[in-house]
Amino acid sequence: HPPTAMCFLRQYTRLIPTIVSPSTSFMITEISRFIIEISVCLYKFVTSPPSLIAFAAITIAIDGIDEPSLPQWQRKQIFLRLEKAAEFSKRTNECLQIVSQLRIAFEKNVDIRSLMTQIDPNCRISSPIAQRNGLALKKDSPKDVSQIITI
């Protein structure tokens, strides 16, 4: 099976600098995951590359976080890392189109502010961000890819 948007999201969230607060990183991850789940239900995204859907989801999630929680310089740092790893820019027509379509689909279904307040902080134990920050893994959690693949 080819990699899904969720696979790309897991890899992309590892690129979030450790200077970004754990709660903000968690919020980016969870909102992005929710957006990707919406994209799976919409036929117009079937032909879109999963890497681009994940990139667009992170873009929308970051745009929804307020300035004090994620300062502009941290946003720039995240996007520099993402663009380098994904090998495309958020300014390309294809990316702008996917971001626009996903944003419309997302905003039709969910208010991002209410979603942010409803995300349960207790879910952090099983999140990639919690794993990165050394919190305990659930017993049935899959291993980190970096533990399996050595370069």
Side-chain angles (χ1 to χ4, degrees):
H1 298 284
T4 63
M6 288 298 219
C7 293
F8 282 100
L9 177 63
R10 279 192 295 275
Q11 299 304 318
Y12 291 164
T13 56
R14 292 184 179 147
L15 298 172
I16 296 173
T18 54
I19 193 78
V20 175
S21 75
S23 60
T24 301
S25 295
F26 179 74
M27 200 63 66
I28 292 168
T29 302
E30 292 304 306
I31 292 170
S32 298
R33 185 186 331 246
F34 191 82
I35 293 168
I36 289 171
E37 289 174 4
I38 289 173
S39 77
V40 171
C41 300
L42 300 172
Y43 181 75
K44 65 178 136 190
F45 297 111
V46 169
T47 60
S48 301
S51 58
L52 189 54
I53 291 174
F55 188 90
I58 287 178
T59 300
I60 295 166
I62 288 173
D63 288 348
I65 296 175
D66 60 2
E67 178 72 24
S69 299
L70 189 64
Q72 199 62 36
W73 68 271
Q74 288 181 354
R75 294 169 198 258
K76 287 180 183 177
Q77 194 174 35
I78 292 169
F79 281 117
L80 284 173
R81 289 177 174 203
L82 284 174
E83 289 176 353
K84 184 177 180 183
E87 296 182 349
F88 53 76
S89 170
K90 69 177 187 170
R91 293 174 219 52
T92 64
N93 285 338
E94 185 181 22
C95 188
L96 290 171
Q97 185 178 9
I98 297 293
V99 168
S100 175
Q101 290 174 350
L102 260 179
R103 188 183 310 274
I104 290 167
F106 180 63
E107 289 173 354
K108 279 184 182 178
N109 295 295
V110 179
D111 174 32
I112 194 167
R113 296 285 172 217
S114 65
L115 177 63
M116 289 176 149
T117 59
Q118 291 176 7
I119 293 176
D120 184 3
N122 296 324
C123 295
R124 294 180 190 191
I125 297 301
S126 63
S127 77
I129 302 303
Q131 294 172 17
R132 185 178 78 192
N133 291 322
L135 297 174
L137 291 173
K138 288 187 175 181
K139 192 173 187 176
D140 59 347
S141 293
K143 288 185 177 180
D144 184 352
V145 174
S146 64
Q147 295 173 348
I148 300 169
I149 301 170
T150 56
I151 299 174

